[in-house]
Amino acid sequence: MKEARQAVEYAAAELGFSALGVARADLPQHNTLKRWIEQGCHAGMNWMEKHLPARLNPQLVLPGVRSVIILTYEYPRRDARQKIGSVARYAQGEDYHKLLSSKLADLDETLSIYGGKQLCFSDSGPVSERFFAAQAGLGWIGRNGLLVRRRGGSFCFLSSILTTLELPVDSPMPNHCGNCRRCEEACPTGALHEGSCDARLCLSYWTIEARREEEDPPLAVKRALGKRMFGCDACQEVCPWNSLPPVCRVDPHLLMPARLARATLGELEQMGGETWQRFFAGFSMRRAGEKLLNRTVRSLRGSSRPQSRHEH
Ligand code: B12
Ligand code: SF4
Ligand code: SF4
């Protein structure tokens, strides 16, 4: 199935993916993910627990799956400090799930020509994308828990294609973190430990995923929030592999549009219901939902009040 791999590689490059790697789908089961969940590191993300069997066994996701294709897609590397606070780089622009799913549908078609049956995801399905990316030789799992590449560092999305085709596979590459521990040291809440991120302490979790009514961040997390509005890039900003030049041009759809960049916290606080829905429609930031985003807005307003009484 060398031809199928070549065809999908060409098509992926034309669609703007920066790299592609392939791993076998039947890689040995192990305990890391199970332990992470047993220890409660998934916080309130009950969907992680619910989909654990599928995450550990791709056969339950796509019966007959033989190969897992992982693709990288670059997102902006520039600092994203806006009036509303800082928005993680990956989430500044249009909803990447939507953007990538139409590209993945194209690749699905390409593989179908060779008789393959596929399922495609981009942060949208029960597939351990970092694990397969590392097995497919695209990079290694850094101490920040992310896939880090020699060219491009960690500022990229991962997409996965499960396919019934048996494609030529790649070999994993060695870990290049060496003695560096910058990410662990830079994490404002101490959420990182040897490549594992405890979501109960992670600011990304608390600003994006903690959508249950009863969830209230621990004091240490509230104090560490700083100006973070959505997500957190602290453990990536310090990584030496991210200071190298980008591998390719960034898709302009992933850049922050002016109307969002110009918005103030005061304006967001006053938005509600339909206005909120309309304002965030089609953006990655919509993921947090109105309630959680407003809670973050209120805590950012609270902490910045003395300096910004005349904000609007
Ligand atoms: C849940 C989740 C989160 C949670 C939990 C974080 C975490 N570390 O897991 C929260 C909300 C906190 C989060 C935050 C972020 N996330 Co997130 N997240 C995910 C998600 C949906 C699942 C990850 C997961 O399974 N975690 C559990 C841990 C234990 O598993 P794991 O590290 O992925 O996999 C390990 C083990 O399973 C193990 N393993 C060993 N052997 C085997 C064998 C088999 C068969 C299997 C299955 C696994 C396995 O190897 C893996 C590596 O150690 C993935 C998308 C996906 N479907 O994979 C995105 C994903 C990991 N996130 C991503 C991003 C960008 C982020 C943020 C940077 C966003 C931000 N700026 O705010 C932060 C970074 C925080 C951090 N340092 O990890 C990207 C990472 C891209 C990259 N370069 O690696 C992903 C891949 C989404 C995507 N498709 O692009 N995230
Ligand atoms: S995203 Fe922020 S809080 Fe989460 S592990 Fe990285 S540095 Fe720590
Ligand atoms: S900051 Fe250092 S330890 Fe952390 S992922 Fe990058 S190279 Fe590895």
Side-chain angles (χ1 to χ4, degrees):
M1 275 293 154
K2 221 168 141 191
E3 304 79 19
R5 173 159 180 162
Q6 206 171 51
V8 74
E9 268 180 10
Y10 287 160
E14 275 173 1
L15 290 164
F17 289 98
S18 46
L20 176 155
V22 181
R24 284 170 50 163
D26 62 349
L27 289 164
Q29 299 281 333
H30 71 108
N31 285 327
T32 326
L33 185 59
K34 210 164 155 241
R35 220 179 312 125
W36 189 77
I37 289 188
E38 279 164 5
Q39 288 168 352
C41 295
H42 60 305
M45 294 177 289
N46 295 337
W47 42 273
M48 285 291 296
E49 199 172 338
K50 192 170 151 210
H51 297 140
L52 178 65
R55 261 173 213 277
L56 290 173
N57 181 7
Q59 289 295 336
L60 299 178
V61 185
L62 177 67
V65 59
R66 287 202 182 85
S67 316
V68 180
I69 304 174
I70 300 283
L71 302 114
T72 56
Y73 198 82
E74 305 307 301
Y75 62 70
R77 310 169 79 84
R78 264 182 292 157
D79 189 7
R81 234 157 272 240
Q82 314 296 338
K83 281 190 192 159
I84 54 171
S86 88
V87 175
R89 287 163 173 80
Y90 84 98
Q92 291 172 49
E94 286 178 23
D95 189 343
Y96 61 92
H97 301 97
K98 221 171 136 202
L99 180 84
L100 295 171
S101 68
S102 66
K103 293 174 187 285
L104 292 169
D106 267 23
L107 300 181
D108 179 5
E109 254 179 57
T110 304
L111 292 162
S112 301
I113 297 169
Y114 295 88
K117 194 168 171 245
Q118 284 72 234
L119 275 182
C120 309
F121 306 102
S122 188
D123 202 8
S124 54
V127 178
S128 200
E129 292 176 325
R130 283 180 286 196
F131 167 73
F132 283 109
Q135 294 297 319
L138 291 171
W140 66 96
I141 307 294
R143 288 203 172 91
N144 58 11
L146 300 168
L147 181 87
V148 184
R149 302 157 303 160
R150 285 173 74 99
R151 284 189 68 232
S154 60
F155 289 141
C156 67
F157 296 110
L158 299 179
S159 299
S160 47
I161 304 179
L162 306 190
T163 176
T164 52
L165 296 174
E166 192 160 348
L167 302 176
V169 295
D170 299 286
S171 316
M173 71 160 69
N175 186 305
H176 291 283
C177 283
N179 294 327
C180 174
R181 292 198 174 266
R182 287 193 205 181
C183 49
E184 285 180 354
E185 287 157 12
C187 175
T189 57
L192 290 173
H193 188 67
E194 289 299 338
S196 179
C197 163
D198 185 342
R200 290 168 296 191
L201 290 172
C202 180
L203 296 172
S204 181
Y205 171 76
W206 285 106
T207 53
I208 306 172
E209 299 292 339
R211 292 186 292 268
R212 290 186 309 179
E213 286 283 332
E214 67 279 16
E215 281 187 295
D216 196 29
L219 199 60
V221 167
K222 280 186 183 159
R223 286 197 178 129
L225 189 64
K227 299 264 178 237
R228 288 179 190 85
M229 170 68 177
F230 187 100
C232 168
D233 280 337
C235 55
Q236 299 192 84
E237 281 162 351
V238 294
C239 179
W241 297 98
N242 279 335
S243 61
L244 300 173
V247 276
C248 62
R249 252 186 85 227
V250 168
D251 188 330
H253 294 101
L254 296 172
L255 300 174
M256 185 169 275
R259 73 181 171 93
L260 194 51
R262 276 199 301 260
T264 64
L265 285 176
E267 281 162 1
L268 290 193
E269 200 175 26
Q270 275 161 27
M271 260 178 223
E274 265 189 42
T275 326
W276 191 94
Q277 293 296 342
R278 243 182 291 119
F279 188 79
F280 285 106
F283 286 123
S284 288
M285 281 182 78
R286 192 170 185 274
R287 165 86 186 170
E290 188 183 333
K291 280 196 184 131
L292 175 56
L293 211 69
N294 280 343
R295 184 174 75 192
T296 313
V297 168
R298 282 195 298 276
S299 54
L300 292 179
R301 289 269 283 171
S303 63
S304 67
R305 215 150 249 150
Q307 298 96 310
S308 62
R309 255 177 300 165
H310 308 295
E311 190 188 343
H312 64 136

